[in-house]
């Protein structure tokens, strides 16, 4: 399942890149190379720098965004370590309770709740990222 999601995400990213390339080409044809170059420099380059720095804006995070991977990537880049997750509360089957996880990095500690362990870890990572 993870491999399928990765392939789907790669396809979506590739198609988005193709669309941006087409848009820039159309802009160059219709308005000229100077306008297209100005658009790229003014609008795209700052956003691409944010992506390269790992500070991608929330509005660019699609349905395939994985906060656990994002937090791990940022933590490894900045501190050369991985986040630590701890289960604070394990819900009983059919109890209606949520699982509670805590994630800790050198920079932040955050909690997250969810109906299963995966969702609780994901929410803890989201909270650590501030999203």
């Amino acid at each position: 399942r993870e491999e399928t999601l990765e392939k789907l995400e790669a396809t979506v990213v590739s198609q988005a890149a193709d669309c941006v390339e087409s848009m820039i080409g159309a802009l160059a044809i219709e308005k000229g190379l100077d306008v297209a170059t100005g658009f790229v420099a003014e609008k795209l380059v700052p956003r691409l720098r944010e992506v390269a720095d790992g500070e991608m804006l929330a509005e660019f995070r699609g349905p395939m965004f994985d906060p656990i991977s994002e937090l791990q990537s940022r933590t490894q880049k900045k501190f050369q370590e991985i986040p630590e997750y701890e289960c604070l509360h394990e819900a009983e089957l059919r109890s209606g309770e949520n699982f509670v996880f805590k994630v800790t990095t050198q920079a932040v500690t955050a909690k997250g709740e969810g109906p299963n362990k995966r969702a609780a870890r994901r929410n803890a990572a989201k909270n650590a990222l501030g999203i």
Side-chain angles (χ1 to χ4, degrees):
R1 179 176 155 106
E2 290 289 325
E3 188 176 305
T4 303
L5 288 176
E6 287 176 12
K7 286 180 182 176
L8 178 60
E9 185 174 39
T11 300
V12 170
V13 169
S14 176
Q15 289 174 347
D18 290 345
C19 289
V20 171
E21 182 181 0
S22 296
M23 182 188 71
I24 294 168
L27 188 59
I29 291 168
E30 291 293 319
K31 300 292 183 179
L33 191 56
D34 288 341
V35 172
T37 302
F39 171 79
V40 170
E42 186 179 319
K43 301 292 183 185
L44 294 182
V45 170
R47 300 291 187 179
L48 292 172
R49 284 193 180 118
E50 291 171 355
V51 171
D53 291 340
E55 300 298 326
M56 198 166 44
L57 298 176
E59 65 261 28
F60 291 103
R61 293 188 177 114
M64 306 307 274
F65 175 72
D66 179 15
I68 294 171
S69 297
E70 180 73 14
L71 180 63
Q72 180 168 325
S73 175
R74 289 187 191 187
T75 303
Q76 284 178 319
K77 184 177 180 180
K78 192 166 187 173
F79 303 112
Q80 293 75 49
E81 63 180 39
I82 60 173
E84 293 183 26
Y85 290 87
E86 178 185 356
C87 185
L88 300 178
H89 178 73
E90 198 159 328
E92 294 182 25
L93 191 61
R94 297 188 185 115
S95 67
E97 297 177 338
N98 279 334
F99 287 85
V100 180
F101 265 79
K102 175 176 82 169
V103 63
T104 305
T105 71
Q106 284 188 30
V108 68
T109 298
K111 291 181 184 177
E113 293 186 32
N116 55 50
K117 288 181 179 181
R118 181 175 171 91
R121 283 174 48 119
R122 184 177 174 89
N123 289 331
K126 276 180 155 179
N127 292 335
L129 292 166
I131 56 173

